Amino acid sequence: MESRKKAFAPLEELIEKSSDEELNPEVKKKLAEKVDEAKEKLSPLYTDKWIYRYVVAFLGLAILASLFFTFFLAIQSANPQEAKIPDIFLAIGSAAVGALAGLLAPSPGRSGNE
């Protein structure tokens, strides 16, 4: 919420400091309402940089945990080639790798020149 306030602070300050000759009071009020509407519509995904960091960290932990437990089960087995490793570790690891690749890959809608 704080980052949304910071993002719109310069615009709100400009609206408030503008004189009545520059902006009609009615126009000022409408602009302030539009800014408030835009603040409410703006998703935290666009303003909070920590959300993606947490998601990437947890997906990385899921990958490492599935690798660790698979390795641990293989080591505990008498014959590692015949170890009974649950399919859930493969599923969790694969899903986490796919999700991580999807998050970190550049969006096809954005060009690299921006």
Side-chain angles (χ1 to χ4, degrees), residues 4-87:
R4 281 193 265 181
K5 289 180 184 178
K6 286 181 184 178
F8 286 96
L11 182 58
E12 289 177 330
E13 184 179 328
L14 182 66
I15 292 170
E16 288 176 14
K17 289 186 176 183
S18 63
S19 64
D20 287 342
E21 293 90 31
E22 293 175 337
L23 283 177
N24 184 335
E26 292 176 18
V27 174
K28 273 187 180 181
K29 184 178 178 182
K30 286 182 182 179
L31 281 174
E33 289 173 2
K34 292 291 184 183
V35 168
D36 289 338
E37 287 176 22
K39 272 195 241 180
E40 294 302 318
K41 289 180 182 178
L42 192 61
S43 170
L45 289 176
Y46 298 113
T47 59
D48 190 4
K49 62 183 176 182
W50 285 97
I51 289 175
Y52 285 109
R53 292 177 186 179
Y54 288 135
V55 171
V56 168
F58 284 121
L59 288 173
L61 286 174
I63 293 168
L64 291 176
S66 66
L67 284 173
F68 173 76
F69 287 121
T70 302
F71 182 72
F72 179 74
L73 290 174
I75 294 295
Q76 293 298 321
S77 174
N79 187 357
Q81 278 78 23
E82 296 175 8
K84 299 260 183 185
I85 298 173
D87 291 336

